[in-house]
Amino acid sequence: MTDFTLGVLLPSSSILPMAKRFKSGLKRAAKEVGIEQMELEFIGNGNPRLVEEVMRKMTEFHEVDAITGIVSNQTLAFCSKVFESAGVPILVNNLGGHLPELKDLPNNVFINSDHIWQQMWSLGYWGTEKFGSKGMLVGGVYDMAYNFTKAMDLGMKKANPDSKWSFAVTRLPQGVDNLSDPSVVLDYIEKDSPDFLIAAFCGEEARLFMEGFINRKLHQKVPLLGLPYLLRDLSFEPEEAFKVYSTTLTMGASQPQEVNWFNGDVFEALGYESGVLLGASRDGGGVLQLSGIEINSSRGSFVPSKALRGEESVIHLVEHLYKGKVASTQSTLGRQLRTAALHELNIPHSNMVDSGWFNPYLGL
C-alpha cells in the first residue's frame, strides 16, 4: 500500500502489555498486506477527552487514511461525533465488555469484538438450564464494572423467569501491583451456596482465585463457569482433577477452528484481524471501503459490518479437566450454546450505557 498511513489507538495497562500484543498482530498483518506507514498514539485508559484529542491529532496532524486500535464500546458511544468527523474508515477493536451502543454509530465506524456480553448471556442461560436457577457472579472490582451482570441476568431469565443470582466483588487493589485479593469472595461463595458460579477474573487475579477456590474444596460443591480468560494463566498443580466450563467464540462459523482458541492472545488476534481487514478494504483505485469486506481468522469467517450486533456469533461450550500434579489440561469441545444477538435483548436505548468504566480491557 503506497501513500497509505494508518493511525493506531493504543491503551495502556500496568499488568498486561495489550498495546504491544495488538501492535504485534497488526504489524504481522501489515507486512502481509503491504501497510508500511503507521502512526501510534496512546489513549491511556480510554478516557473520552484524551481519545478525542488523539483523534484530532490523527486527522489534522498525521493526516491518516484510516484508524484502528482498541477502544471500548462505552468510549465509542461518548466519542461518536468525533469519530464521525474524522472522515476516514475506523475499525474499533474491543473485548465487548460493554453492550454496543449502535443508535448513533457513524457509518465510517466498524466494530471488531470478542462480544463478552454475549458470552456472559450464554453462560447465564446454560448454567441455569444445566445446574439450577440460583446463580452467582464473582470478579475483580475493575472487571465487574462492565455489563456482565446485565448480560448474565438476561440469559438466566430467558432460561427461567424465576431465576435469581447474587454477586461478590473484591476490594480495591492494594500496593503497587494493582492487584486485588480474590480470596475475599470465597467466603461469600460458601455462604450463598449457588447452583453454579461464573468467575469473571482474568490475569494474575484469575490464578489467585483459582488456587483459593481449589484449596478450599469449593470445586467439589459448586460448578465453575468462566470466560476463556479465566484459564489463561493457570499454572499451579492441583491435588486432584477438577472441571471448569468456559465458552469459545467463533464468528460466522458453526465450529471453532481450534478447540483451544482461548489459549491464543486475544489482543494479538484483534490486531492481526485489523490489518487483514484494512488490507482487504483497499481496492485497485486506492479507495478504502470496509463495508462488506469478509475475512478469515482464528475465529472464523466474518464481515464486521454484519457482526456489530453479534448476529454472526456462534458460541460453544468447552469443558476443561485439570489433572493431578502434572496439571495437564484436557479440553473437550461441547455443544453449541444458545445465545442472543443485541436486538433480541429488548433493552431500551436509554439503558444501553449504564457503566462509568471506559477501559477497553478487563481489569488488566
Side-chain angles (χ1 to χ4, degrees):
M1 286 188 179
T2 58
D3 301 322
F4 176 87
T5 302
L6 176 63
V8 186
L9 307 178
L10 298 173
S12 58
S13 170
S14 59
I15 299 177
L16 182 72
M18 66 191 67
K20 182 177 181 180
R21 294 177 181 178
F22 182 87
K23 185 175 68 173
S24 174
L26 181 61
K27 283 189 172 182
R28 182 160 55 91
K31 186 176 182 180
E32 296 177 6
V33 301
I35 299 176
E36 297 181 355
Q37 182 66 32
M38 290 193 287
E39 297 292 344
L40 309 178
E41 294 285 349
F42 285 92
I43 56 172
N45 66 353
N47 180 279
R49 180 176 296 179
L50 180 56
V51 171
E52 290 180 358
E53 292 176 0
V54 171
M55 284 293 296
R56 292 191 179 94
K57 184 176 180 181
M58 285 290 188
T59 55
E60 297 173 9
F61 180 75
H62 295 307
E63 297 182 334
V64 299
D65 298 292
I67 296 172
T68 190
I70 306 173
V71 178
S72 72
N73 291 330
Q74 178 87 326
T75 296
L76 177 58
F78 275 76
C79 300
S80 60
K81 296 299 182 183
V82 176
F83 277 70
E84 183 177 27
S85 65
V88 298
I90 300 174
L91 180 59
V92 166
N93 296 268
N94 56 54
L95 299 185
H98 299 99
L99 290 168
E101 170 57 273
L102 303 180
K103 181 176 181 292
D104 300 317
L105 187 72
N107 292 329
N108 63 318
V109 175
F110 300 84
I111 300 175
N112 184 30
S113 177
D114 208 26
H115 296 308
I116 286 178
W117 60 269
Q118 201 171 26
Q119 297 189 56
M120 287 296 295
W121 190 100
S122 294
L123 286 172
Y125 182 93
W126 181 76
T128 303
E129 181 184 55
K130 174 73 174 179
F131 300 112
S133 60
K134 186 180 178 182
M136 187 174 187
L137 177 65
V138 297
V141 64
Y142 292 141
D143 294 343
M144 295 286 278
Y146 296 92
N147 287 134
F148 292 164
T149 54
K150 175 180 289 185
M152 173 185 171
D153 177 65
L154 290 170
M156 290 183 64
K157 290 294 193 296
K158 187 68 175 180
N160 182 349
D162 296 323
S163 62
K164 297 180 180 180
W165 54 271
S166 58
F167 70 94
V169 184
T170 62
R171 302 185 185 94
L172 285 171
Q174 302 294 319
V176 297
D177 56 3
N178 289 321
L179 290 175
S180 56
D181 181 9
S183 66
V184 301
V185 307
L186 300 178
D187 289 338
Y188 293 97
I189 297 172
E190 290 184 328
K191 178 182 177 181
D192 288 5
S193 298
D195 294 328
F196 66 93
L197 175 72
I198 298 179
F201 291 106
C202 58
E204 179 68 7
E205 290 181 359
R207 184 186 67 79
L208 294 172
F209 165 77
M210 292 291 286
E211 287 188 10
F213 187 79
I214 299 302
N215 289 337
R216 290 175 66 159
K217 308 296 182 182
L218 289 171
H219 64 292
Q220 298 175 354
K221 306 173 184 178
V222 184
L224 178 61
L225 288 61
L227 296 165
Y229 320 109
L230 177 66
L231 308 172
R232 275 189 54 86
D233 299 304
L234 188 63
S235 59
F236 71 99
E237 298 182 345
E239 295 292 339
E240 59 184 354
F242 66 96
K243 190 178 296 183
V244 182
Y245 300 95
S246 78
T247 48
T248 187
L249 175 75
T250 58
M251 303 293 290
S254 59
Q255 283 287 107
Q257 293 185 12
E258 301 176 29
V259 173
N260 288 333
W261 182 82
F262 75 91
N263 283 326
D265 184 83
V266 62
F267 295 107
E268 183 167 355
L270 292 172
Y272 179 79
E273 290 170 358
S274 295
V276 172
L277 277 165
L278 289 164
S281 69
R282 189 175 171 91
D283 63 19
V287 178
L288 281 169
Q289 179 57 263
L290 280 170
S291 181
I293 297 294
E294 181 175 343
I295 69 163
N296 292 299
S297 75
S298 59
R299 292 189 294 163
S301 175
F302 65 97
V303 181
S305 58
K306 294 182 179 179
L308 294 178
R309 299 176 181 269
E311 294 169 348
E312 291 194 343
S313 299
V314 179
I315 298 174
H316 279 79
L317 182 73
V318 182
E319 181 179 304
H320 309 278
L321 185 65
Y322 288 83
K323 296 182 178 180
K325 283 293 185 180
V326 295
S328 59
T329 309
Q330 178 182 342
S331 299
T332 304
L333 184 67
R335 66 183 180 90
Q336 181 177 330
L337 299 180
R338 181 168 179 175
T339 191
L342 194 62
H343 70 277
E344 297 175 278
L345 300 185
N346 296 319
I347 300 175
H349 171 69
S350 60
N351 292 332
M352 291 296 287
V353 177
D354 64 354
S355 168
W357 196 240
F358 292 104
N359 283 3
Y361 41 87
L362 305 181
L364 295 172

